[in-house]
Amino acid sequence: MRGVGPKIPGLALLLGLAGLIPFVWGVLVVQTGAMMLPGMADPRVAVLAYALMIFCFMAGCLWGFAAKGEWTLGYAISIAPVLYFILFAGFGMPINFVLLIGFVLLLPLDWVFSSRGLAPGWWMKLRLVLTAVVVACLIAMVRTGS
């Protein structure tokens, strides 16, 4: 990940990319039917459960950034993603769609913390790459009728 701005630390990049494996695996299984084992649950359910965990984890990162700066408004911003999910999923919107839009909406929140110097300088570079793959995978899952 070369380019403008600070270099993404190797371990952060490795773990971030490894976190994409369940998303990519889910799409491959759904699209091809390959890698399905007898008795395996629907991979769409597994991917959506994993996506929700990652979504909440990302909101938790925002909380950490707010704590770093002791930024009161930042605490409120950091809980917005989970409130968004509860609100829209609670009104019966499809979970896959809510998560898809949610990951896109996380990026401007990440940028707010990054622009205040509360996130590492490489944060947005990593987030853009990871979010692009996650969103692509969720779109692929939506298009397959999940």
Side-chain angles (χ1 to χ4, degrees):
M1 310 276 19
R2 298 191 190 273
V4 179
K7 180 181 176 190
I8 300 169
L11 186 57
L13 179 60
L14 178 67
L15 293 174
L17 294 174
L20 296 175
I21 293 170
F23 290 103
V24 174
W25 169 84
V27 170
L28 290 173
V29 172
V30 168
Q31 295 288 333
T32 67
M35 299 179 280
M36 282 293 291
L37 302 173
M40 181 183 281
D42 185 339
R44 289 173 285 230
V45 173
V47 169
L48 291 177
Y50 179 71
L52 179 56
M53 286 185 270
I54 295 299
F55 184 75
C56 291
F57 173 78
M58 296 315 304
C61 289
L62 299 178
W63 180 274
F65 297 153
K68 177 182 175 186
E70 297 186 19
W71 184 33
T72 304
L73 179 59
Y75 291 120
I77 293 170
S78 72
I79 64 169
V82 175
L83 295 176
Y84 153 84
F85 180 85
I86 291 168
L87 177 68
F88 287 98
F91 278 112
M93 288 186 69
I95 301 299
N96 52 7
F97 184 73
V98 173
L99 286 168
L100 172 64
I101 299 302
F103 276 103
V104 171
L105 293 176
L106 273 171
L107 282 175
L109 299 181
D110 281 313
W111 181 83
V112 167
F113 286 93
S114 185
S115 69
R116 293 182 64 94
L118 299 174
W122 48 264
W123 183 255
M124 287 307 298
K125 188 187 309 186
L126 180 62
R127 291 287 294 122
L128 287 168
V129 171
L130 298 179
T131 299
V133 175
V134 168
V135 166
C137 289
L138 291 174
I139 288 170
M141 299 292 277
V142 168
R143 294 188 74 188
T144 59
S146 64

